[in-house]
Amino acid sequence: MQNAIGILFGNNGSDSLSLRGLTSERSIAAVPFGGRYRILDFALSSMVNSGLWTIGLITPRHYRSILDHLGAGKDWFLDRKSGGLFILPGAIHGLSGENGKFRLKDLQLNIEYLQKDLSENIIISGCNHIFNINYNEALESHRNEKADVTLIYKESTDLSAMKGKERLVISDNQDVLDILDVSDTNSTIACPRKQNYFLDMLIIRRTLLLEIVDGYRSIEAINLIEAIRENIRTLKIIGVPFTGYFGVINSVKDYFDRSMELLDPIICREVLMGHDRIHTKIVDNPPTKHGNQAITANSIISSGCIIEGEVRNSILSREVIVEAGASISNSIIMQKCKVSSGSRLDHVILDKFVQVYPGNILKGNKNSPLVVLKGSLV
Amino acid sequence: MHKQECIAMLLAGGQGSRLGSLTRNIAKPAVSFCGKYRIIDFSLSNCANSNINTVGVLTQYKPFLLNSYIGLGSAWNLDNPFGGVHILPPFVGEHELSWYKGTANAIFQNLKFIDFFDPDYVLIISGDHIYKMNYLSMLNYHKEKGSEITISTIEVPWEEVSRFGIVSLNEEGRIIKFTEKIANPDSNLASMGIYIFNWPILKQALLEDEQDQVSENDFGKNIIPKQIELGRKLYAYKFQGYWRDVGTIESYYNANMEFLKGDEAINLFDPAQRVFSNEDILPPQYIGPKARINNSLISNGCVVLGDVSYSVLAPGAYVGEGASIKNSILLPNARVSGHAKINKTIVGENAKIMSYCSIGIEEDSVVRQAGITVIEDHYVLGKGSVIYAGSNLYSTR
């Protein structure tokens, strides 16, 4: 057990309608991913696997599906006598929209969660990314260096894959010298190509966080990163690199690409099958039945499916029915969809409970996969 | 403590020696079945689906894995403050003996446990049968008939009657005779090993049985015949549906295959009567680019790169590229490396089959064990080995 507690900003990244239909009724954190998971499982499980027993989740605007998924946190072992899972209602930001991340307003509203705990540090992350991290290494650096704030970053040359991420200027001894805003193009970095992207994961001393929340009380719209930047000269801020897989999702195409990356055995093994597993809500489904005429290749398939047709290069959630003669390729099929005989799907994302009628052909393409809304009959 | 109307006593202490190498490390109720399940899941799920919230599980033989699998019973929705699952291993007291000598003796040694809940009825079930049943219907029948002891029964084919305990009824359904495993009985109504007793009757019967020096302390052999003799009101509840005793390698194999076919077997996909189980945390199954799968049940965490047909793969099983699995059962985390060929084989938990092995090769002359090959848990079979059908491979230790 760690002398740290967690805060997950369930509302990070839920501002725009970037995932279009997939996020019209749910936040990005609750979007199904990789068959049996939802996106927030990755951030939440990373904290649980790092030994955190107290985790607060700040809710986004549409949070019904998140609460449905989490319940009392039992499947993450967070139904505890002391500590456990805390649901922290997020602030309502009116007309200014849901823009931004790590907003101090959300923490102000839930200040008691921070006040009543006695832990030394708080681990904070968003839950709109795909990763599997163990925070122990970063926590150790944070303690050894007696840091006030530890920012976790990834070195990358791929600007598009890290879109919307702040960049860090880091000295040779891992001190963070500056935090560059997303829009800040004034390059003060020595090597212009390889950049240190901040991964929306940080460790901060609890008492410092309380001071920051209190100190910026009068300012309406400011986020934690901006507050840290304003005090960068007086705080000891270090950077800790993360070398593992980190999937950013800003658009439907990103969502599609990140999903398909799971079919890469190396990524799949690292994210899903390593020592630290991703936990998710458990549903008692029987094993998946592959029928007499089933053809399945290069796919991830969850439990409780009945497959009689053809499935290639696709990801199937739980309880999907693929009838004989149906063909699915390069697609993401969410829970309880039914694909009837003779229909053909290519580069399609079916949200939950979609039924595809016999003989229909749905086709998107690599750059803009076709999204079929939850519960549609097509 | 809340008084309970009916509590269940689940007999899970049997060694299951007829399952051979499958039960050398693990109690029979904890043996993996049909992919993600373990045999005891069916009885525990039946209790949960029948609103019987207090279950005493009597364990004895190699209980560790079984106990840790059951835990608090939360996987079956049985963790509740008024009853819950209680694991009852043999214990030593001032007068009591330690080991359970028979099914009746096991209950006898836990009379205080039952008294604690002060039930009206006690349901006795065993942890090694595969079936879905609502025990409340049986309890209602028991009350309706004014029965003192009710035995759940099922019609079995006449050619198999000698394997079962058979009840003979009079015209109003009352049991007049109970015979254990004899040739040519006068009925084909077999006892399923499921009993409902009025608690006072059970208590008295167990106390008397304990005094009987020649008794084997067994429900089927001693208690039931004795109670018929005493003129108690015993009725037979006729169960209709799927029920299998998976006590032998052959019946275990066949039951798995019946689930796979899905025609006769109980519907695992029925949302109204779900079978719960205590799952490991595993990712969805991954099917490789060259895999070919048909007529198979594949569980979470499986990686299939080769060919699989008419087979059941339990969670975490691995099938390498070019391997071929036919008519077989892979238990949890079994690993079959590339280009191995397997037919009609049960591969134990965590067993490893190295590449280019050939298992289950049929000989013309003799058919042993119905042609089923069994590889024990944790066995490692070296590269290129050839194993004939009907063999049993045991790990050395």
Side-chain angles (χ1 to χ4, degrees):
Chain A
M1 193 179 163
Q2 298 288 357
N3 190 13
I5 63 173
I7 295 180
L8 289 171
F9 276 78
N11 47 4
N12 272 11
S14 65
D15 45 321
S16 56
L17 289 173
S18 51
L19 292 193
R20 287 180 281 173
L22 297 177
T23 47
S24 60
E25 297 292 326
R26 56 163 94 87
S27 67
I28 184 166
V31 172
F33 187 85
R36 65 194 305 232
Y37 308 101
R38 289 181 189 253
I39 291 174
L40 83 114
D41 287 342
F42 294 83
L44 182 57
S45 302
S46 291
M47 285 190 175
V48 170
N49 292 334
S50 304
L52 270 59
W53 283 13
T54 301
I55 297 172
L57 174 84
I58 294 173
T59 57
R61 194 154 53 139
H62 293 296
Y63 59 85
R64 185 207 62 81
S65 54
I66 285 189
L67 296 191
D68 179 345
H69 183 66
L70 292 175
K74 191 169 187 164
D75 292 324
W76 296 261
F77 319 111
L78 291 173
D79 54 335
R80 311 218 71 86
K81 186 170 187 178
S82 72
L85 178 69
F86 290 82
I87 303 292
L88 311 174
I92 294 166
H93 292 267
L95 289 176
S96 69
E98 298 259 308
N99 273 316
K101 58 184 181 183
F102 299 131
R103 282 165 305 190
L104 287 182
K105 190 88 190 280
D106 293 328
L107 293 176
Q108 274 167 27
L109 283 177
N110 296 291
I111 195 74
E112 271 182 59
Y113 172 73
L114 296 172
Q115 282 168 342
K116 74 180 178 189
D117 203 90
L118 301 173
S119 296
E120 196 177 330
N121 295 307
I122 314 245
I123 300 179
I124 299 177
S125 91
C127 35
N128 50 337
H129 302 119
I130 309 303
F131 59 93
N132 189 349
I133 188 176
N134 194 311
Y135 290 107
N136 285 331
E137 198 190 319
L139 260 176
E140 208 180 301
S141 303
H142 182 79
R143 288 199 189 106
N144 291 344
E145 299 287 326
K146 300 195 167 51
D148 294 311
V149 178
T150 296
L151 302 176
I152 297 174
Y153 68 93
K154 186 176 175 66
E155 269 187 22
S156 174
T157 52
D158 189 350
L159 181 69
S160 62
M162 289 290 167
K163 202 177 133 210
K165 296 275 161 280
E166 287 100 347
R167 288 162 292 149
L168 306 181
V169 182
I170 295 174
S171 74
D172 290 340
N173 52 355
Q174 295 295 313
D175 284 324
V176 175
L177 304 176
D178 201 359
I179 302 170
L180 303 178
D181 197 55
V182 180
S183 52
D184 188 354
T185 49
N186 175 23
S187 180
T188 51
I189 302 162
C191 171
R193 299 183 61 195
K194 193 178 256 183
Q195 313 253 29
N196 302 316
Y197 291 97
F198 172 53
L199 300 183
D200 291 356
M201 300 179 220
L202 66 134
I203 303 171
I204 185 168
R205 281 194 302 111
R206 186 176 60 90
T207 46
L208 172 65
L209 184 59
L210 282 169
E211 281 170 31
I212 290 176
V213 172
D214 197 46
Y216 287 90
R217 187 170 291 277
S218 55
I219 303 175
E220 181 63 21
I222 183 168
N223 75 42
L224 180 59
I225 309 304
E226 289 162 350
I228 290 171
R229 182 165 45 200
E230 280 195 19
N231 298 286
I232 202 157
R233 302 288 160 230
T234 56
L235 296 173
K236 166 86 173 165
I237 304 174
I238 62 166
V240 171
F242 174 61
T243 52
Y245 176 83
F246 190 83
V248 177
I249 298 175
N250 288 321
S251 64
V252 171
K253 181 175 180 334
D254 282 348
Y255 173 77
F256 187 79
D257 291 345
R258 297 299 90 79
S259 298
M260 290 303 159
E261 277 165 11
L262 282 182
L263 293 174
D264 178 340
I266 294 165
I267 293 176
C268 181
R269 207 170 303 142
E270 183 198 325
V271 178
L272 297 179
M273 302 176 81
H275 176 266
D276 292 330
R277 292 291 165 83
I278 304 299
H279 310 277
T280 190
K281 182 180 179 181
I282 287 178
V283 181
D284 278 83
N285 277 322
T288 281
K289 169 96 194 256
H290 295 249
N292 198 17
Q293 301 169 49
I295 301 170
T296 43
N298 195 33
S299 296
I300 284 176
I301 299 171
S302 308
S303 57
C305 295
I306 300 177
I307 301 169
E308 295 285 354
E310 193 177 335
V311 179
R312 291 180 194 277
N313 309 324
S314 295
I315 294 172
L316 269 58
S317 290
R318 294 156 165 160
E319 295 170 79
V320 170
I321 297 173
V322 183
E323 290 189 352
S327 142
I328 298 173
S329 55
N330 310 307
S331 294
I332 298 163
I333 313 294
M334 293 187 196
Q335 215 179 334
K336 292 189 180 171
C337 287
K338 184 179 170 189
V339 181
S340 304
S341 66
S343 54
R344 306 205 166 279
L345 274 55
D346 185 35
H347 288 97
V348 172
I349 300 171
L350 297 189
D351 206 331
K352 291 163 81 172
F353 309 113
V354 170
Q355 288 199 30
V356 179
Y357 289 131
N360 283 347
I361 295 171
L362 304 179
K363 196 163 162 32
N365 65 56
K366 202 166 173 301
N367 291 319
S368 60
L370 181 68
V371 178
V372 180
L373 296 185
K374 190 171 172 179
S376 308
L377 309 175
V378 286
Chain B
M1 183 50 62
H2 288 248
K3 179 181 160 62
Q4 302 275 333
E5 188 193 18
C6 180
I7 72 168
M9 298 297 276
L10 201 164
L11 300 161
Q15 185 179 351
S17 53
R18 288 173 302 153
L19 278 177
S21 54
L22 290 178
T23 49
R24 276 223 307 175
N25 301 307
I26 196 169
K28 180 171 156 188
V31 171
S32 164
F33 180 81
C34 193
K36 66 173 272 193
Y37 304 101
R38 294 190 182 268
I39 294 171
I40 198 171
D41 284 337
F42 291 83
S43 304
L44 287 174
S45 300
N46 285 340
C47 287
N49 289 327
S50 307
N51 280 331
I52 292 176
N53 297 319
T54 308
V55 184
V57 182
L58 300 133
T59 62
Q60 173 154 294
Y61 174 80
K62 302 208 168 162
F64 166 68
L65 286 171
L66 179 62
N67 294 359
S68 69
Y69 182 71
I70 295 170
L72 296 172
S74 45
W76 301 268
N77 250 344
L78 289 170
D79 54 334
N80 72 73
F82 310 120
V85 172
H86 301 260
I87 299 202
L88 305 170
F91 56 93
V92 178
E94 296 113 64
H95 307 295
E96 295 94 336
L97 293 161
S98 56
W99 298 111
Y100 295 152
K101 287 178 288 174
T103 50
N105 179 256
I107 307 281
F108 170 79
Q109 293 202 38
N110 289 288
L111 286 181
K112 285 209 172 69
F113 170 80
I114 305 177
D115 264 334
F116 187 73
F117 291 99
D118 188 25
D120 298 322
Y121 308 100
V122 178
L123 169 72
I124 293 169
I125 52 182
S126 76
D128 46 14
H129 296 150
I130 305 293
Y131 63 112
K132 275 193 199 180
M133 176 173 176
N134 190 334
Y135 300 130
L136 286 188
S137 316
M138 179 174 167
L139 184 60
N140 287 338
Y141 177 86
H142 179 86
K143 290 183 204 163
E144 232 168 69
K145 286 284 180 184
S147 176
E148 289 172 314
I149 303 168
T150 300
I151 304 178
S152 184
T153 58
I154 188 165
E155 281 183 28
V156 294
W158 280 100
E159 56 271 21
E160 288 180 26
V161 287
S162 60
R163 287 177 47 212
F164 296 97
I166 296 292
V167 299
S168 309
L169 309 180
N170 68 8
E171 40 303 340
E172 55 139 357
R174 199 164 152 179
I175 298 172
I176 48 168
K177 202 162 100 189
F178 184 93
T179 45
E180 270 279 0
K181 293 172 190 161
I182 56 158
N184 306 317
D186 48 12
S187 146
N188 68 339
L189 214 49
S191 162
M192 295 161 62
I194 300 167
Y195 314 102
I196 291 177
F197 281 82
N198 287 351
W199 169 226
I201 304 282
L202 176 65
K203 193 171 183 178
Q204 198 187 340
L206 290 173
L207 288 168
E208 283 167 9
D209 182 63
E210 207 49 31
Q211 298 304 316
D212 184 350
Q213 296 298 321
V214 294
S215 171
E216 291 178 48
N217 307 116
D218 186 271
F219 275 99
K221 288 180 191 147
N222 311 104
I223 302 273
I224 300 297
K226 182 75 195 249
Q227 297 304 307
I228 296 172
E229 206 177 286
L230 288 173
R232 298 260 191 234
K233 283 191 272 182
L234 282 87
Y235 283 87
Y237 172 77
K238 287 183 189 168
F239 173 72
Q240 278 168 345
Y242 183 88
W243 176 83
R244 288 291 181 276
D245 181 343
V246 287
T248 61
I249 297 275
E250 199 182 339
S251 61
Y252 171 83
Y253 177 86
N254 289 341
N256 272 285
M257 290 299 144
E258 280 167 354
F259 272 73
L260 185 52
K261 283 184 200 122
D263 45 355
E264 186 192 1
I266 50 180
N267 181 10
L268 287 172
F269 291 85
D270 177 10
Q273 262 209 320
R274 283 207 308 219
V275 183
F276 302 104
S277 75
N278 193 352
E279 287 189 44
D280 281 345
I281 301 146
L282 290 167
Q285 58 188 272
Y286 173 70
I287 312 298
K290 293 175 188 163
R292 278 180 297 181
I293 306 175
N294 66 67
N295 294 302
S296 295
L297 286 170
I298 317 271
S299 309
N300 279 335
C302 287
V303 174
V304 181
L305 307 176
D307 294 357
V308 178
S309 65
Y310 293 95
S311 296
V312 178
L313 269 58
Y318 174 90
V319 179
E321 214 169 290
S324 146
I325 314 284
K326 282 180 185 152
N327 309 310
S328 293
I329 300 164
L330 304 195
L331 300 191
N333 302 313
R335 195 178 169 84
V336 179
S337 302
H339 305 283
K341 305 261 176 287
I342 295 183
N343 185 33
K344 212 169 181 185
T345 299
I346 302 169
V347 184
E349 295 190 31
N350 302 300
K352 286 191 176 65
I353 311 295
M354 296 308 177
S355 51
Y356 296 98
C357 285
S358 233
I359 303 173
I361 295 177
E362 283 167 23
E363 294 164 287
D364 296 336
S365 49
V366 275
V367 177
R368 290 170 294 164
Q369 205 169 256
I372 302 162
T373 311
V374 184
I375 295 169
E376 197 187 8
D377 298 351
H378 305 286
Y379 192 90
V380 179
L381 186 64
K383 190 175 174 183
S385 307
V386 175
I387 306 294
Y388 287 97
S391 309
N392 290 296
L393 302 185
Y394 293 94
S395 315
T396 49
R397 65 193 73 174

